[in-house]
Amino acid sequence: MAKVKGAVEVDVNRCKGCELCVFACPSKVLALSQSVNDKGYAYAYMKQPELCIGCASCAYMCPDGCIKVYKIKE
Amino acid sequence: MNNNIIAPENLVYQKSSLVKDNVMHYCPGCNHGTVHRMIAEVIEEMGMQDNTLCACPVGCAVFLYKYIDVDTVESAHGRAPAIATAMKRLHPDKLVFTYQGDGDLSAIGAGETLHACNRGENIAIIFINNAIYGMTGGQMSPSTLEGMKTSTCPYGRDVALNGYPMKIANVLAELEGTCYVTRQSVHTAAAVRKTKKAIRKAFENSMAGKGTSIVEIVAACNAGWKMSPHEAHLWLEENMFPFYQLGDIKDK
């Protein structure tokens, strides 16, 4: 069976750290960073990138449209 | 590993090109941003960027023209349906929609909304219902739930004093002029997709000249409700949905 692998790219300085993507992710890939962006918000990043399936739930939930989703089939 | 996946040919989702690069002024986790994105996506998919006119409200979404790249008119408080009526009558070939909150649509603009719907103007109304006046500091609005605490009813809404919460979408569904009335939400990814479909249908009805379409979106105002964005969504599911039931109210 073809395995689907995904990845997300977060626009760090656009992110406001609302954490909605973290709760929306079915694979628990995302988390908020320990460091902060230019505005002083902790931003979302891929804590467990190997689990991402590229479902785009995080990007659909993101109010600010910070997330780009990529997907490949192996 | 990720470097192989992150390449332009593997891109499956990003924000619509109609959403401008300005950082939105909304609080972190605000549902307005999500709805803006869905509207922009629908307009882009319909290829209507140059043929869309929007009547902005007064409320948090007052700066909508800064975030969605379509032609907009800033209305006086509550008067967006009146402005949209004029725009649609003068330009019947354009896609005309209003974007309003519950204070704008069901309080100060109740008259304009009722009569625009009663005349059956061919406009789409996107109605964000977060049960509170978000912009001015979380005061009670007509759709505030019974017992819900706001800054102007700190002991909870008392129906003997403040009246009952108003289901304005159900009222508008009774009017002959409306063709499509639905209540949606944006608290999960699946709900966001459903909302997008509802907005698409409303816009298509507007272009087909079927009558007024209303898409009510039950949304959270986490800053006004004094909660984190995720807690606000849980509160929304627990308290708002039993009263404001999701689904199509009218579809003809």
Side-chain angles (χ1 to χ4, degrees), chain B:
Chain B
M1 182 190 75
N2 283 325
N3 294 334
N4 302 332
I5 305 175
I6 296 177
E9 65 271 19
N10 299 332
L11 185 68
V12 287
Y13 190 83
Q14 65 172 344
K15 76 177 171 65
S16 161
S17 61
L18 293 191
V19 177
K20 294 185 193 172
D21 288 334
N22 319 352
V23 175
M24 298 189 190
H25 76 285
Y26 300 122
C27 310
C30 179
N31 288 159
H32 273 304
T34 318
V35 180
H36 284 14
R37 276 183 30 243
M38 289 306 118
I39 291 173
E41 279 182 20
V42 170
I43 295 172
E44 191 181 18
E45 283 170 15
M46 290 174 76
M48 295 293 283
Q49 183 184 4
D50 298 331
N51 291 307
T52 300
L53 299 171
C54 170
C56 295
V58 171
C60 284
V62 69
F63 293 128
L64 184 139
Y65 57 84
K66 282 188 182 176
Y67 308 135
I68 303 183
D69 197 5
V70 296
D71 291 327
T72 52
V73 174
E74 185 56 59
S75 317
H77 201 350
R79 276 59 179 157
I83 303 264
T85 298
M87 292 198 294
K88 186 69 181 178
R89 287 190 178 192
L90 290 167
H91 297 285
D93 56 324
K94 304 275 187 197
L95 167 61
V96 179
F97 75 97
T98 73
Y99 185 102
Q100 298 175 272
D102 52 318
D104 191 77
L105 183 138
S106 61
I108 193 166
E112 278 75 6
T113 309
L114 270 175
H115 289 286
C117 292
N118 195 37
R119 292 191 303 268
E121 301 294 345
N122 296 319
I123 57 175
I125 295 176
I126 312 294
F127 166 36
I128 310 296
N129 180 6
N130 55 17
I132 210 169
Y133 281 83
M135 182 181 72
T136 48
Q139 289 86 356
M140 179 175 56
S141 83
S143 57
T144 300
L145 298 173
E146 189 180 339
M148 184 175 168
K149 289 176 182 170
T150 70
S151 60
T152 46
C153 52
Y155 304 109
R157 182 175 185 156
D158 175 7
V159 291
L161 185 67
N162 310 119
Y164 293 91
M166 184 155 63
K167 290 179 182 172
I168 188 91
N170 297 53
V171 174
L172 298 174
E174 291 295 315
L175 301 172
E176 279 301 313
T178 52
C179 66
Y180 179 52
V181 182
T182 184
R183 190 180 281 125
Q184 299 295 338
S185 163
V186 288
H187 69 298
T188 61
V192 174
R193 287 185 168 95
K194 276 189 188 169
T195 301
K196 185 178 167 186
K197 276 187 190 152
I199 293 172
R200 170 111 196 192
K201 189 167 181 181
F203 284 5
E204 282 170 353
N205 285 346
S206 164
M207 291 312 292
K210 285 186 176 175
T212 314
S213 305
I214 295 132
V215 181
E216 173 177 346
I217 295 152
V218 183
C221 176
N222 56 72
W225 294 355
K226 320 279 184 236
M227 295 173 193
S228 78
H230 182 62
E231 282 170 4
H233 282 175
L234 296 178
W235 194 91
L236 178 90
E237 275 182 23
E238 196 178 321
N239 298 283
M240 296 277 279
F241 291 168
F243 189 74
Y244 297 109
Q245 283 152 359
L246 301 188
D248 288 357
I249 300 166
K250 182 179 183 182
D251 187 5
K252 75 172 184 185

